Amino acid sequence: MKSQLAPTALSAETVVLDHGTGARLSRELVEKIAEILGETYLGMMEDSAILEIPSQKIAFTTDSFVVTPLIFGNGDIGKIAVCGTVNDLAVSGARPLYLTLSLIIEAGMLISELLTIIESVRDTAIAAGVKIVAGDTKVVGKGEADRLFINTAGVGVIEKTPVSIKNVRPGQKIILSGDIGNHSIHLLSIREGLGFERNILSDCAPLNHMIRQLLNAVPVEKIASMRDVTRGGLSAVLHEHARAANHEIRCVRQSLPIQPETAMAADMLGVDVINLANEGCLCLFVESDIAETVVKLLQAHPLGQKAAIIGEVLTTPGAQVRMLEPDGKVSTIEELYGAELPRLC
């Protein structure tokens, strides 16, 4: 039987199931993705990548990314995937080096949209200084996915003493690198037609260069813990650290860096900004004697200009998170049982 002549992978407007068969259409799509990634892609189209790791200790992480809309005002799912993985490595004190990139694509997705996202992956990887070393593509039927899911793994090298939540203790100050809530409000505004998205942009960004500058400028042992503030928002980070330290964490509402439009939108939606997801905000727990220095160092970086001390770990035993409100009263911040808002990242 003669083989059927088929169109090339990119002659169709949308992804079809045959793009995931491992045959010609698959090969051509993967080759196009590799072409777009350019020098950021080190893979050799083999089953695994052979890498040089200049360290005895590495940090390793994995994550999956789903977001609606896939492409938004100043970012997309590809940018979030790279930033999220890079930031998870960086907050452990590691220098990110390598990422993998696996795509689960729903049949019917526009190929032009997919390639736009791959271009964003490339540009964000260049900005973060990491390489894509391996990947995979799978195509599923119409209705079996939300157009595109991305899974990544990341490897970084530990060159200094790693930071850990186990080091959090009373007397330490809590610092945020910038505004919270913008990512969630930006996406919600696009999805719900609220009209805020032009003035409130997503904070999605790779934080590794800012973190590296900080770790090179202050004694690493003075930084107890770092977290990128993503799903669950600041509240989730504070509760996690309060449990680890088994001491009360108290913050000051008026010290939280919040864009006025974001506060307005959150108030309109009836949600607390501290529960909103972010994609480019860093929370640090540091010794009190370097807290002001850390803030100044962060403020000198473009991604940390709004950095501020927002609270501290108290000597009061018990894993509680409390907030000093503008009226002088102290409220208890309850940990969310589930999602306060639809999934955003």
Side-chain angles (χ1 to χ4, degrees), residues 261-284:
E261 294 90 342
T262 299
M264 182 189 310
D267 185 62
M268 185 180 75
L269 293 167
V271 297
D272 193 331
V273 178
I274 68 171
N275 294 318
L276 298 181
N278 310 270
E279 288 294 343
C281 182
L282 176 66
C283 183
L284 306 97

mmCIF file with all atom_site columns, all heavy atoms in Angstrom, residues 261-284:
data_model
loop_
_atom_site.group_PDB
_atom_site.id
_atom_site.type_symbol
_atom_site.label_atom_id
_atom_site.label_alt_id
_atom_site.label_comp_id
_atom_site.label_asym_id
_atom_site.label_entity_id
_atom_site.label_seq_id
_atom_site.pdbx_PDB_ins_code
_atom_site.Cartn_x
_atom_site.Cartn_y
_atom_site.Cartn_z
_atom_site.occupancy
_atom_site.B_iso_or_equiv
_atom_site.pdbx_formal_charge
_atom_site.auth_seq_id
_atom_site.auth_comp_id
_atom_site.auth_asym_id
_atom_site.auth_atom_id
_atom_site.pdbx_PDB_model_num
ATOM 1   N N   . GLU A 1 261 ? -5.039  50.666 42.269 1.00 0.00 ? 261 GLU A N   1
ATOM 2   C CA  . GLU A 1 261 ? -6.063  50.086 41.402 1.00 0.00 ? 261 GLU A CA  1
ATOM 3   C C   . GLU A 1 261 ? -6.340  48.620 41.749 1.00 0.00 ? 261 GLU A C   1
ATOM 4   O O   . GLU A 1 261 ? -7.469  48.141 41.629 1.00 0.00 ? 261 GLU A O   1
ATOM 5   C CB  . GLU A 1 261 ? -5.649  50.196 39.929 1.00 0.00 ? 261 GLU A CB  1
ATOM 6   C CG  . GLU A 1 261 ? -5.579  51.611 39.402 1.00 0.00 ? 261 GLU A CG  1
ATOM 7   C CD  . GLU A 1 261 ? -4.212  52.244 39.582 1.00 0.00 ? 261 GLU A CD  1
ATOM 8   O OE1 . GLU A 1 261 ? -3.411  51.738 40.405 1.00 0.00 ? 261 GLU A OE1 1
ATOM 9   O OE2 . GLU A 1 261 ? -3.941  53.251 38.898 1.00 0.00 ? 261 GLU A OE2 1
ATOM 10  N N   . THR A 1 262 ? -5.281  47.922 42.195 1.00 0.00 ? 262 THR A N   1
ATOM 11  C CA  . THR A 1 262 ? -5.455  46.528 42.599 1.00 0.00 ? 262 THR A CA  1
ATOM 12  C C   . THR A 1 262 ? -6.305  46.439 43.863 1.00 0.00 ? 262 THR A C   1
ATOM 13  O O   . THR A 1 262 ? -7.177  45.569 43.982 1.00 0.00 ? 262 THR A O   1
ATOM 14  C CB  . THR A 1 262 ? -4.083  45.869 42.834 1.00 0.00 ? 262 THR A CB  1
ATOM 15  O OG1 . THR A 1 262 ? -3.336  45.901 41.612 1.00 0.00 ? 262 THR A OG1 1
ATOM 16  C CG2 . THR A 1 262 ? -4.225  44.426 43.296 1.00 0.00 ? 262 THR A CG2 1
ATOM 17  N N   . ALA A 1 263 ? -6.026  47.322 44.810 1.00 0.00 ? 263 ALA A N   1
ATOM 18  C CA  . ALA A 1 263 ? -6.830  47.357 46.035 1.00 0.00 ? 263 ALA A CA  1
ATOM 19  C C   . ALA A 1 263 ? -8.290  47.660 45.708 1.00 0.00 ? 263 ALA A C   1
ATOM 20  O O   . ALA A 1 263 ? -9.208  47.045 46.274 1.00 0.00 ? 263 ALA A O   1
ATOM 21  C CB  . ALA A 1 263 ? -6.273  48.409 46.991 1.00 0.00 ? 263 ALA A CB  1
ATOM 22  N N   . MET A 1 264 ? -8.523  48.582 44.771 1.00 0.00 ? 264 MET A N   1
ATOM 23  C CA  . MET A 1 264 ? -9.879  48.945 44.374 1.00 0.00 ? 264 MET A CA  1
ATOM 24  C C   . MET A 1 264 ? -10.596 47.753 43.744 1.00 0.00 ? 264 MET A C   1
ATOM 25  O O   . MET A 1 264 ? -11.758 47.455 44.072 1.00 0.00 ? 264 MET A O   1
ATOM 26  C CB  . MET A 1 264 ? -9.832  50.116 43.389 1.00 0.00 ? 264 MET A CB  1
ATOM 27  C CG  . MET A 1 264 ? -11.203 50.620 42.943 1.00 0.00 ? 264 MET A CG  1
ATOM 28  S SD  . MET A 1 264 ? -11.071 51.832 41.590 1.00 0.00 ? 264 MET A SD  1
ATOM 29  C CE  . MET A 1 264 ? -9.828  52.954 42.263 1.00 0.00 ? 264 MET A CE  1
ATOM 30  N N   . ALA A 1 265 ? -9.881  47.061 42.830 1.00 0.00 ? 265 ALA A N   1
ATOM 31  C CA  . ALA A 1 265 ? -10.486 45.914 42.152 1.00 0.00 ? 265 ALA A CA  1
ATOM 32  C C   . ALA A 1 265 ? -10.779 44.784 43.135 1.00 0.00 ? 265 ALA A C   1
ATOM 33  O O   . ALA A 1 265 ? -11.839 44.146 43.067 1.00 0.00 ? 265 ALA A O   1
ATOM 34  C CB  . ALA A 1 265 ? -9.555  45.420 41.046 1.00 0.00 ? 265 ALA A CB  1
ATOM 35  N N   . ALA A 1 266 ? -9.843  44.519 44.052 1.00 0.00 ? 266 ALA A N   1
ATOM 36  C CA  . ALA A 1 266 ? -10.055 43.459 45.036 1.00 0.00 ? 266 ALA A CA  1
ATOM 37  C C   . ALA A 1 266 ? -11.244 43.778 45.929 1.00 0.00 ? 266 ALA A C   1
ATOM 38  O O   . ALA A 1 266 ? -12.048 42.899 46.262 1.00 0.00 ? 266 ALA A O   1
ATOM 39  C CB  . ALA A 1 266 ? -8.792  43.273 45.869 1.00 0.00 ? 266 ALA A CB  1
ATOM 40  N N   . ASP A 1 267 ? -11.377 45.049 46.312 1.00 0.00 ? 267 ASP A N   1
ATOM 41  C CA  . ASP A 1 267 ? -12.505 45.467 47.143 1.00 0.00 ? 267 ASP A CA  1
ATOM 42  C C   . ASP A 1 267 ? -13.828 45.281 46.391 1.00 0.00 ? 267 ASP A C   1
ATOM 43  O O   . ASP A 1 267 ? -14.823 44.825 46.964 1.00 0.00 ? 267 ASP A O   1
ATOM 44  C CB  . ASP A 1 267 ? -12.328 46.926 47.546 1.00 0.00 ? 267 ASP A CB  1
ATOM 45  C CG  . ASP A 1 267 ? -13.404 47.396 48.514 1.00 0.00 ? 267 ASP A CG  1
ATOM 46  O OD1 . ASP A 1 267 ? -13.483 46.834 49.622 1.00 0.00 ? 267 ASP A OD1 1
ATOM 47  O OD2 . ASP A 1 267 ? -14.158 48.315 48.158 1.00 0.00 ? 267 ASP A OD2 1
ATOM 48  N N   . MET A 1 268 ? -13.812 45.585 45.113 1.00 0.00 ? 268 MET A N   1
ATOM 49  C CA  . MET A 1 268 ? -15.011 45.421 44.293 1.00 0.00 ? 268 MET A CA  1
ATOM 50  C C   . MET A 1 268 ? -15.403 43.950 44.179 1.00 0.00 ? 268 MET A C   1
ATOM 51  O O   . MET A 1 268 ? -16.590 43.608 44.181 1.00 0.00 ? 268 MET A O   1
ATOM 52  C CB  . MET A 1 268 ? -14.768 46.001 42.897 1.00 0.00 ? 268 MET A CB  1
ATOM 53  C CG  . MET A 1 268 ? -15.991 46.001 41.994 1.00 0.00 ? 268 MET A CG  1
ATOM 54  S SD  . MET A 1 268 ? -15.625 46.699 40.373 1.00 0.00 ? 268 MET A SD  1
ATOM 55  C CE  . MET A 1 268 ? -14.706 45.361 39.640 1.00 0.00 ? 268 MET A CE  1
ATOM 56  N N   . LEU A 1 269 ? -14.391 43.068 44.116 1.00 0.00 ? 269 LEU A N   1
ATOM 57  C CA  . LEU A 1 269 ? -14.635 41.632 44.000 1.00 0.00 ? 269 LEU A CA  1
ATOM 58  C C   . LEU A 1 269 ? -14.894 40.973 45.349 1.00 0.00 ? 269 LEU A C   1
ATOM 59  O O   . LEU A 1 269 ? -15.279 39.805 45.417 1.00 0.00 ? 269 LEU A O   1
ATOM 60  C CB  . LEU A 1 269 ? -13.435 40.956 43.330 1.00 0.00 ? 269 LEU A CB  1
ATOM 61  C CG  . LEU A 1 269 ? -13.206 41.316 41.856 1.00 0.00 ? 269 LEU A CG  1
ATOM 62  C CD1 . LEU A 1 269 ? -11.833 40.853 41.404 1.00 0.00 ? 269 LEU A CD1 1
ATOM 63  C CD2 . LEU A 1 269 ? -14.301 40.684 40.986 1.00 0.00 ? 269 LEU A CD2 1
ATOM 64  N N   . GLY A 1 270 ? -14.650 41.715 46.434 1.00 0.00 ? 270 GLY A N   1
ATOM 65  C CA  . GLY A 1 270 ? -14.876 41.164 47.762 1.00 0.00 ? 270 GLY A CA  1
ATOM 66  C C   . GLY A 1 270 ? -13.826 40.158 48.186 1.00 0.00 ? 270 GLY A C   1
ATOM 67  O O   . GLY A 1 270 ? -14.131 39.206 48.915 1.00 0.00 ? 270 GLY A O   1
ATOM 68  N N   . VAL A 1 271 ? -12.572 40.351 47.745 1.00 0.00 ? 271 VAL A N   1
ATOM 69  C CA  . VAL A 1 271 ? -11.490 39.429 48.109 1.00 0.00 ? 271 VAL A CA  1
ATOM 70  C C   . VAL A 1 271 ? -10.369 40.214 48.786 1.00 0.00 ? 271 VAL A C   1
ATOM 71  O O   . VAL A 1 271 ? -10.245 41.426 48.612 1.00 0.00 ? 271 VAL A O   1
ATOM 72  C CB  . VAL A 1 271 ? -10.933 38.688 46.872 1.00 0.00 ? 271 VAL A CB  1
ATOM 73  C CG1 . VAL A 1 271 ? -12.005 37.823 46.242 1.00 0.00 ? 271 VAL A CG1 1
ATOM 74  C CG2 . VAL A 1 271 ? -10.373 39.671 45.839 1.00 0.00 ? 271 VAL A CG2 1
ATOM 75  N N   . ASP A 1 272 ? -9.574  39.504 49.565 1.00 0.00 ? 272 ASP A N   1
ATOM 76  C CA  . ASP A 1 272 ? -8.424  40.104 50.235 1.00 0.00 ? 272 ASP A CA  1
ATOM 77  C C   . ASP A 1 272 ? -7.202  39.933 49.342 1.00 0.00 ? 272 ASP A C   1
ATOM 78  O O   . ASP A 1 272 ? -6.902  38.814 48.885 1.00 0.00 ? 272 ASP A O   1
ATOM 79  C CB  . ASP A 1 272 ? -8.189  39.429 51.588 1.00 0.00 ? 272 ASP A CB  1
ATOM 80  C CG  . ASP A 1 272 ? -7.217  40.211 52.478 1.00 0.00 ? 272 ASP A CG  1
ATOM 81  O OD1 . ASP A 1 272 ? -6.337  40.905 51.932 1.00 0.00 ? 272 ASP A OD1 1
ATOM 82  O OD2 . ASP A 1 272 ? -7.338  40.112 53.706 1.00 0.00 ? 272 ASP A OD2 1
ATOM 83  N N   . VAL A 1 273 ? -6.478  41.002 49.091 1.00 0.00 ? 273 VAL A N   1
ATOM 84  C CA  . VAL A 1 273 ? -5.314  40.961 48.202 1.00 0.00 ? 273 VAL A CA  1
ATOM 85  C C   . VAL A 1 273 ? -4.286  39.939 48.668 1.00 0.00 ? 273 VAL A C   1
ATOM 86  O O   . VAL A 1 273 ? -3.577  39.356 47.839 1.00 0.00 ? 273 VAL A O   1
ATOM 87  C CB  . VAL A 1 273 ? -4.667  42.368 48.098 1.00 0.00 ? 273 VAL A CB  1
ATOM 88  C CG1 . VAL A 1 273 ? -3.426  42.332 47.229 1.00 0.00 ? 273 VAL A CG1 1
ATOM 89  C CG2 . VAL A 1 273 ? -5.662  43.362 47.520 1.00 0.00 ? 273 VAL A CG2 1
ATOM 90  N N   . ILE A 1 274 ? -4.191  39.685 49.969 1.00 0.00 ? 274 ILE A N   1
ATOM 91  C CA  . ILE A 1 274 ? -3.163  38.750 50.450 1.00 0.00 ? 274 ILE A CA  1
ATOM 92  C C   . ILE A 1 274 ? -3.445  37.317 50.037 1.00 0.00 ? 274 ILE A C   1
ATOM 93  O O   . ILE A 1 274 ? -2.577  36.449 50.177 1.00 0.00 ? 274 ILE A O   1
ATOM 94  C CB  . ILE A 1 274 ? -2.973  38.834 51.976 1.00 0.00 ? 274 ILE A CB  1
ATOM 95  C CG1 . ILE A 1 274 ? -4.206  38.323 52.717 1.00 0.00 ? 274 ILE A CG1 1
ATOM 96  C CG2 . ILE A 1 274 ? -2.602  40.232 52.404 1.00 0.00 ? 274 ILE A CG2 1
ATOM 97  C CD1 . ILE A 1 274 ? -3.974  38.188 54.208 1.00 0.00 ? 274 ILE A CD1 1
ATOM 98  N N   . ASN A 1 275 ? -4.642  37.042 49.503 1.00 0.00 ? 275 ASN A N   1
ATOM 99  C CA  . ASN A 1 275 ? -4.963  35.699 49.025 1.00 0.00 ? 275 ASN A CA  1
ATOM 100 C C   . ASN A 1 275 ? -4.775  35.546 47.524 1.00 0.00 ? 275 ASN A C   1
ATOM 101 O O   . ASN A 1 275 ? -5.001  34.456 46.982 1.00 0.00 ? 275 ASN A O   1
ATOM 102 C CB  . ASN A 1 275 ? -6.408  35.341 49.381 1.00 0.00 ? 275 ASN A CB  1
ATOM 103 C CG  . ASN A 1 275 ? -6.634  35.224 50.880 1.00 0.00 ? 275 ASN A CG  1
ATOM 104 O OD1 . ASN A 1 275 ? -5.808  34.668 51.597 1.00 0.00 ? 275 ASN A OD1 1
ATOM 105 N ND2 . ASN A 1 275 ? -7.748  35.745 51.360 1.00 0.00 ? 275 ASN A ND2 1
ATOM 106 N N   . LEU A 1 276 ? -4.357  36.598 46.842 1.00 0.00 ? 276 LEU A N   1
ATOM 107 C CA  . LEU A 1 276 ? -4.281  36.580 45.390 1.00 0.00 ? 276 LEU A CA  1
ATOM 108 C C   . LEU A 1 276 ? -2.928  36.073 44.898 1.00 0.00 ? 276 LEU A C   1
ATOM 109 O O   . LEU A 1 276 ? -1.886  36.373 45.481 1.00 0.00 ? 276 LEU A O   1
ATOM 110 C CB  . LEU A 1 276 ? -4.533  37.978 44.827 1.00 0.00 ? 276 LEU A CB  1
ATOM 111 C CG  . LEU A 1 276 ? -5.912  38.587 45.125 1.00 0.00 ? 276 LEU A CG  1
ATOM 112 C CD1 . LEU A 1 276 ? -6.027  39.961 44.489 1.00 0.00 ? 276 LEU A CD1 1
ATOM 113 C CD2 . LEU A 1 276 ? -7.022  37.670 44.651 1.00 0.00 ? 276 LEU A CD2 1
ATOM 114 N N   . ALA A 1 277 ? -2.962  35.334 43.791 1.00 0.00 ? 277 ALA A N   1
ATOM 115 C CA  . ALA A 1 277 ? -1.747  34.759 43.216 1.00 0.00 ? 277 ALA A CA  1
ATOM 116 C C   . ALA A 1 277 ? -0.878  35.832 42.570 1.00 0.00 ? 277 ALA A C   1
ATOM 117 O O   . ALA A 1 277 ? -1.366  36.841 42.060 1.00 0.00 ? 277 ALA A O   1
ATOM 118 C CB  . ALA A 1 277 ? -2.115  33.707 42.171 1.00 0.00 ? 277 ALA A CB  1
ATOM 119 N N   . ASN A 1 278 ? 0.419   35.590 42.597 1.00 0.00 ? 278 ASN A N   1
ATOM 120 C CA  . ASN A 1 278 ? 1.422   36.454 41.976 1.00 0.00 ? 278 ASN A CA  1
ATOM 121 C C   . ASN A 1 278 ? 2.382   35.577 41.178 1.00 0.00 ? 278 ASN A C   1
ATOM 122 O O   . ASN A 1 278 ? 2.453   34.369 41.384 1.00 0.00 ? 278 ASN A O   1
ATOM 123 C CB  . ASN A 1 278 ? 2.203   37.223 43.044 1.00 0.00 ? 278 ASN A CB  1
ATOM 124 C CG  . ASN A 1 278 ? 1.284   37.901 44.045 1.00 0.00 ? 278 ASN A CG  1
ATOM 125 O OD1 . ASN A 1 278 ? 0.872   39.026 43.866 1.00 0.00 ? 278 ASN A OD1 1
ATOM 126 N ND2 . ASN A 1 278 ? 0.950   37.192 45.127 1.00 0.00 ? 278 ASN A ND2 1
ATOM 127 N N   . GLU A 1 279 ? 3.153   36.187 40.297 1.00 0.00 ? 279 GLU A N   1
ATOM 128 C CA  . GLU A 1 279 ? 4.135   35.415 39.521 1.00 0.00 ? 279 GLU A CA  1
ATOM 129 C C   . GLU A 1 279 ? 5.493   36.108 39.446 1.00 0.00 ? 279 GLU A C   1
ATOM 130 O O   . GLU A 1 279 ? 6.334   35.710 38.652 1.00 0.00 ? 279 GLU A O   1
ATOM 131 C CB  . GLU A 1 279 ? 3.611   35.151 38.105 1.00 0.00 ? 279 GLU A CB  1
ATOM 132 C CG  . GLU A 1 279 ? 2.486   34.135 38.025 1.00 0.00 ? 279 GLU A CG  1
ATOM 133 C CD  . GLU A 1 279 ? 2.910   32.723 38.404 1.00 0.00 ? 279 GLU A CD  1
ATOM 134 O OE1 . GLU A 1 279 ? 4.124   32.450 38.412 1.00 0.00 ? 279 GLU A OE1 1
ATOM 135 O OE2 . GLU A 1 279 ? 2.021   31.910 38.705 1.00 0.00 ? 279 GLU A OE2 1
ATOM 136 N N   . GLY A 1 280 ? 5.705   37.141 40.283 1.00 0.00 ? 280 GLY A N   1
ATOM 137 C CA  . GLY A 1 280 ? 7.002   37.812 40.259 1.00 0.00 ? 280 GLY A CA  1
ATOM 138 C C   . GLY A 1 280 ? 7.266   38.568 41.543 1.00 0.00 ? 280 GLY A C   1
ATOM 139 O O   . GLY A 1 280 ? 7.890   39.628 41.523 1.00 0.00 ? 280 GLY A O   1
ATOM 140 N N   . CYS A 1 281 ? 6.782   38.008 42.655 1.00 0.00 ? 281 CYS A N   1
ATOM 141 C CA  . CYS A 1 281 ? 6.927   38.667 43.952 1.00 0.00 ? 281 CYS A CA  1
ATOM 142 C C   . CYS A 1 281 ? 7.673   37.743 44.903 1.00 0.00 ? 281 CYS A C   1
ATOM 143 O O   . CYS A 1 281 ? 7.380   36.552 44.994 1.00 0.00 ? 281 CYS A O   1
ATOM 144 C CB  . CYS A 1 281 ? 5.558   39.020 44.523 1.00 0.00 ? 281 CYS A CB  1
ATOM 145 S SG  . CYS A 1 281 ? 5.622   39.881 46.108 1.00 0.00 ? 281 CYS A SG  1
ATOM 146 N N   . LEU A 1 282 ? 8.623   38.306 45.624 1.00 0.00 ? 282 LEU A N   1
ATOM 147 C CA  . LEU A 1 282 ? 9.486   37.547 46.521 1.00 0.00 ? 282 LEU A CA  1
ATOM 148 C C   . LEU A 1 282 ? 9.184   37.915 47.968 1.00 0.00 ? 282 LEU A C   1
ATOM 149 O O   . LEU A 1 282 ? 9.080   39.096 48.309 1.00 0.00 ? 282 LEU A O   1
ATOM 150 C CB  . LEU A 1 282 ? 10.949  37.856 46.200 1.00 0.00 ? 282 LEU A CB  1
ATOM 151 C CG  . LEU A 1 282 ? 12.032  37.225 47.082 1.00 0.00 ? 282 LEU A CG  1
ATOM 152 C CD1 . LEU A 1 282 ? 12.044  35.716 46.903 1.00 0.00 ? 282 LEU A CD1 1
ATOM 153 C CD2 . LEU A 1 282 ? 13.397  37.817 46.731 1.00 0.00 ? 282 LEU A CD2 1
ATOM 154 N N   . CYS A 1 283 ? 9.040   36.904 48.820 1.00 0.00 ? 283 CYS A N   1
ATOM 155 C CA  . CYS A 1 283 ? 8.882   37.116 50.259 1.00 0.00 ? 283 CYS A CA  1
ATOM 156 C C   . CYS A 1 283 ? 10.109  36.555 50.963 1.00 0.00 ? 283 CYS A C   1
ATOM 157 O O   . CYS A 1 283 ? 10.517  35.419 50.699 1.00 0.00 ? 283 CYS A O   1
ATOM 158 C CB  . CYS A 1 283 ? 7.622   36.430 50.773 1.00 0.00 ? 283 CYS A CB  1
ATOM 159 S SG  . CYS A 1 283 ? 7.289   36.692 52.540 1.00 0.00 ? 283 CYS A SG  1
ATOM 160 N N   . LEU A 1 284 ? 10.720  37.354 51.840 1.00 0.00 ? 284 LEU A N   1
ATOM 161 C CA  . LEU A 1 284 ? 11.941  36.946 52.536 1.00 0.00 ? 284 LEU A CA  1
ATOM 162 C C   . LEU A 1 284 ? 11.749  37.057 54.045 1.00 0.00 ? 284 LEU A C   1
ATOM 163 O O   . LEU A 1 284 ? 11.077  37.962 54.542 1.00 0.00 ? 284 LEU A O   1
ATOM 164 C CB  . LEU A 1 284 ? 13.116  37.843 52.144 1.00 0.00 ? 284 LEU A CB  1
ATOM 165 C CG  . LEU A 1 284 ? 13.452  38.002 50.669 1.00 0.00 ? 284 LEU A CG  1
ATOM 166 C CD1 . LEU A 1 284 ? 12.816  39.273 50.130 1.00 0.00 ? 284 LEU A CD1 1
ATOM 167 C CD2 . LEU A 1 284 ? 14.960  38.035 50.456 1.00 0.00 ? 284 LEU A CD2 1
#
